[in-house]
Amino acid sequence: MKLVDNLTKEEYINFFNKSKYNHFLQSYEWGQASKAKGQTPIYIGMKDDKGNIQAAAMVLKKNTPLKMCYLYAPRGIIIDYSNEKLLNEFTKLLKDYLKGINAIYFKMDPGIVYHEIDDEAKPIADGKNNYELFKKLTNLGYKHQGFTTLFTRNQPRFTFRIDTTRPFEEIEKAMNKTYMKTVKRSYNYDLEVTDSYDTQTFFKLMNDIANRNNFNGNSQIFYEAFDKEFSKEKNVKYITIKIYPDKIISKAKAELEPIQNDLEEGKIPQKKMADTQNIIARLQKDIDTFTPYEGQYPDGLVSLILICPTTNHAMWTLYIGNNDLATYTFSVNRAYYEAVKYASEQGLEFLDLFGTCGEPHTKEKNYAGIHEYKRKLGGTYTEFIGEFDIIAKPFWYRVLPVLLKIYRKLRK
């Protein structure tokens, strides 16, 4: 066996597509898009004597002072983790490789489930687990970074995954009833759901969310690179929702007028008066909400874009950008519903909602709210095995975080 760091695009993609351990963060495209973040993708592979690839990884390289570097394989490596011999050989070759390129460390966070958990993130008795794999990795010298429960590492350690191999009717039944009611209400606004995409529009919508929630998103250059790479390989699903303010206003006025006439003429029975007043209030609120936009968007106003990278067997809801009108019209709920439906129609194995916390009732930021929202879609609460590091230079491994902290402060 030998480890190479120059797999061709064709070699890498062919191996990637054949593996059940693939993940969009290990895709060739993610590596190329990451260049926009200042990271250098390296496509490494372990080949046998006949040149057949037995394991691979898309590794992101970051250079440091003194001609050193560190490597990160997001949701990698791509290997048969049940094959102990293969894992041993790859690790041995990897350690030699790190020395050869003067690397400080190598990090990975495999998309491997640690154990089955209940709604409170507690291990299920007699549930499936990968405790033996955890022991194998630590015995091989991989340093585990802890069983974190919040968003403190490179990738979320918890998520919700929806099994989309089931009949769609069964998937719908697993969704929260209140959530499904809002999805049905979204149809009242005649939303247009398309797969069109424009980076500038998305970036503006994403910035609206960032400003509201006080966080920093990616740059527009990154989103442009992401679109270029993933669209080229047709490994992304865009869900775009357009709103037509003029149509909503016209529809609301058309519904409101006869009701108001009946009310003025005393045709509404007393027992229906409360419901009638609620309908009038709702329709008037629609008119008031969309009147500021009247006449400005004859071709529709894009209020939401959901970006979902895909592989040959799965899909992830990665980025979402939306404005206040999307919330008002239940476009957000509709978009996630459309994503689930698309994954089901395409015969994919699962839809991953890409991240939640491991503390369902935490008071930290709005993590509990995010968790509760994603829970309503009826997926399986999932805990991954976590981050592991192979340390090549122990001293610099301890010092690097301090230096990076100082560097980031100086940049600000």
Side-chain angles (χ1 to χ4, degrees), residues 224-235:
E224 288 170 351
F226 177 94
D227 177 52
K228 176 186 174 184
E229 298 299 331
F230 279 79
S231 292
K232 183 165 52 180
E233 301 299 330
K234 298 181 180 178
N235 283 336

Side-chain angles (χ1 to χ4, degrees), residues 79 81 83-91 133 137 140:
I79 193 171
Y81 287 91
N83 189 327
E84 189 171 356
K85 184 179 179 181
L86 207 60
L87 196 57
N88 290 352
E89 185 66 18
F90 179 87
T91 304
L133 175 59
L137 291 173
L140 284 170

Side-chain angles (χ1 to χ4, degrees), residues 303-318:
S303 64
L304 177 147
I305 299 176
L306 177 62
I307 300 179
C308 306
T310 65
T311 64
N312 56 348
H313 75 283
M315 185 164 92
W316 290 258
T317 55
L318 182 58

Side-chain angles (χ1 to χ4, degrees), residues 324-359:
D324 290 338
L325 292 183
T327 304
Y328 184 84
T329 57
F330 307 104
S331 295
V332 177
N333 294 3
R334 177 72 173 277
Y336 279 98
Y337 174 81
E338 294 290 340
V340 177
K341 187 165 68 171
Y342 176 82
S344 174
E345 291 170 348
Q346 296 302 307
L348 300 177
E349 292 177 22
F350 63 81
L351 171 68
D352 190 314
L353 299 180
F354 201 69
T356 186
C357 62
E359 299 178 33

Side-chain angles (χ1 to χ4, degrees), residues 296-410:
Q296 299 180 47
Y297 301 96
D299 298 323
L301 171 63
V302 174
S303 64
L304 177 147
I305 299 176
L306 177 62
I307 300 179
C308 306
T310 65
T311 64
N312 56 348
H313 75 283
M315 185 164 92
W316 290 258
T317 55
L318 182 58
Y319 301 122
I320 186 169
N322 63 272
N323 57 24
D324 290 338
L325 292 183
T327 304
Y328 184 84
T329 57
F330 307 104
S331 295
V332 177
N333 294 3
R334 177 72 173 277
Y336 279 98
Y337 174 81
E338 294 290 340
V340 177
K341 187 165 68 171
Y342 176 82
S344 174
E345 291 170 348
Q346 296 302 307
L348 300 177
E349 292 177 22
F350 63 81
L351 171 68
D352 190 314
L353 299 180
F354 201 69
T356 186
C357 62
E359 299 178 33
H361 311 293
T362 179
K363 302 298 182 183
E364 186 78 13
K365 297 183 179 180
N366 189 34
Y367 295 156
I370 294 171
H371 178 87
E372 178 60 16
Y373 180 84
K374 293 185 177 183
R375 184 193 67 79
K376 290 179 179 179
L377 273 80
T380 300
Y381 196 14
T382 303
E383 179 181 355
F384 294 120
I385 200 166
E387 283 188 358
F388 294 87
D389 292 354
I390 288 286
I391 304 168
K393 296 179 181 294
F395 172 76
W396 288 108
Y397 181 79
R398 293 191 299 271
V399 171
L400 183 62
V402 179
L403 294 179
L404 288 175
K405 189 175 183 180
I406 295 171
Y407 172 71
R408 285 164 186 155
K409 280 186 177 180
L410 290 175

Side-chain angles (χ1 to χ4, degrees), residues 115-123 158 357-360 381 383:
H115 51 206
E116 294 181 314
I117 56 176
D118 61 19
D119 290 343
E120 296 299 319
K122 304 298 182 185
F158 293 81
C357 62
E359 299 178 33
Y381 196 14
E383 179 181 355

